[in-house]
Amino acid sequence: SVAGAYQFVITPGATTDIAVKLHLYFRRDVEKLGVAPLTSMFYHGKTTQHHVDDFRPEVHDSDGLLIEAGNGEHLWRPLNNPQRLAFSNFQVKNPRGFGLLQRERAFEWYQDLEAKYERRPSAWITPVGNWGMGRVELVEIPSEGEFDDNIVTFWVPAGAVTAGSTRAFEYTLSFGDIEPDTLEGRAVFMGIGHGKDRKGGERLFVVDFAGGALDLLPETTVVAAEVSASGGTLRPSVVERNPHTDGYRVFFEFTPGDAPLAELRCVLRSGDQVISETWTYQSWKEKY
């Protein structure tokens, strides 16, 4: 259905950069075109809702998908090992970058002397030029072990890909201890537990934001959380200063109701100013 030509220019170093140029020629219509694909592994961690019999607190090569949109917004999506195949889509215009990151760099998170998950490299895509409208798609595949790459992400350009058409893309793929520069606070922790209404399936979400501009805020600053869900119902959120991270902790309770799944979002604001990246997560009713 497709033929193409690729060029890779590899520059090794503390960060290994691969400059990629590609031209694709389509012989048939293509239902979905995935550009700049990345794969990784997430076996278990803070988002895992089902039991995993493992002495290690967490096992993963990456702990989240980060997207830097063309308007400067940063979206952080913690990864999960779901109980069923899961898809998430993030509509973006002219992305500045996206990638699968390993943010947690302390041995204590993993307790694995052999695998050394705290040293696993992050992978980051930096587009060259304007890629226009499209979406970053995330696929999470159920896995019963740490030897499967069960996480996939890629860019899907908008518009039909038809027989006889051509597409060209250019980007840099970087591997290393990577975290794009930003002044916004980052989502550094999340936890999930039962809410007050256990019979109704209510779940309590806890999200910590720290770093960036949050380090500079006086303790008297009024900080609010903007929380939304694509389905179900939310109780009002609570924001509390976290002295252990010099940041802020957000508590909110979510009831799925009749929605089989819901996309949750949370961002911190001080007045009209956004002061954190956007935390986002896909919540499945069947987990409860």
Side-chain angles (χ1 to χ4, degrees):
S1 60
V2 61
Y6 284 73
Q7 174 182 288
F8 304 94
V9 178
I10 303 173
T11 305
T15 298
T16 296
D17 297 323
I18 306 174
V20 182
K21 293 182 180 180
L22 63 106
H23 292 263
L24 301 176
Y25 305 86
F26 297 95
R27 299 187 178 111
R28 299 178 183 175
D29 295 349
V30 174
E31 183 176 347
K32 181 188 295 184
L33 173 63
V35 179
L38 299 173
T39 67
S40 191
M41 180 276 292
F42 188 96
Y43 177 35
H44 71 91
K46 288 180 285 296
T47 58
T48 310
Q49 295 291 285
H50 52 281
H51 175 70
V52 176
D53 191 11
D54 196 319
F55 78 93
R56 299 164 295 181
E58 302 194 25
V59 176
H60 49 73
D61 289 333
S62 306
D63 53 8
L65 166 66
L66 182 66
I67 302 170
E68 184 175 4
N71 62 4
E73 181 185 17
H74 289 81
L75 295 98
W76 174 251
R77 166 63 155 78
L79 299 178
N80 187 25
N81 181 4
Q83 294 178 274
R84 58 172 293 176
L85 184 64
F87 296 87
S88 298
N89 294 293
F90 305 90
Q91 301 293 328
V92 182
K93 181 179 181 180
N94 294 326
R96 298 180 185 178
F98 66 93
L100 296 172
L101 304 190
Q102 185 78 312
R103 274 186 169 174
E104 294 171 344
R105 292 296 178 182
F107 170 77
E108 288 74 17
W109 288 109
Y110 309 100
Q111 296 291 333
D112 194 319
L113 293 172
E114 180 182 5
K116 299 179 175 64
Y117 287 112
E118 71 276 6
R119 297 177 59 185
R120 297 300 170 99
S122 298
W124 183 253
I125 300 290
T126 304
V128 176
N130 293 328
W131 282 12
M133 289 298 301
R135 68 181 189 269
V136 177
E137 184 164 320
L138 174 67
V139 184
E140 296 167 305
I141 305 167
S143 176
E144 296 183 357
E146 62 195 280
F147 304 108
D148 301 319
D149 265 19
N150 63 322
I151 303 298
V152 187
T153 192
F154 46 84
W155 168 257
V156 181
V161 179
T162 57
S165 64
T166 64
R167 294 289 182 101
F169 295 91
E170 185 175 350
Y171 60 89
T172 299
L173 167 57
S174 302
F175 292 100
D177 188 359
I178 299 167
E179 184 74 55
D181 292 333
T182 176
L183 294 177
E184 299 173 340
R186 294 168 179 159
V188 298
F189 172 82
M190 69 164 287
I192 310 172
H194 66 81
K196 297 175 183 177
D197 183 9
R198 292 197 185 193
K199 292 183 179 179
E202 188 176 65
R203 304 295 285 173
L204 171 66
F205 285 82
V206 179
V207 184
D208 274 339
F209 294 92
L214 302 184
D215 290 340
L216 307 176
L217 294 179
E219 292 191 10
T220 56
T221 303
V222 177
V223 175
E226 183 178 290
V227 182
S228 62
S230 62
T233 58
L234 289 163
R235 291 183 188 267
S237 60
V238 176
V239 181
E240 183 177 344
R241 179 78 177 176
N242 186 341
H244 302 283
T245 63
D246 291 326
Y248 293 85
R249 174 166 288 187
V250 181
F251 303 84
F252 66 90
E253 291 172 303
F254 169 72
T255 302
D258 295 330
L261 65 88
E263 295 288 345
L264 308 177
R265 292 170 66 96
C266 176
V267 65
L268 292 183
R269 291 181 176 272
S270 178
D272 295 331
Q273 184 179 3
V274 173
I275 56 175
S276 77
E277 65 187 9
T278 301
W279 170 91
T280 179
Y281 189 69
Q282 188 178 80
S283 180
W284 284 85
K285 181 180 181 179
E286 66 181 16
K287 292 179 182 176
Y288 314 141

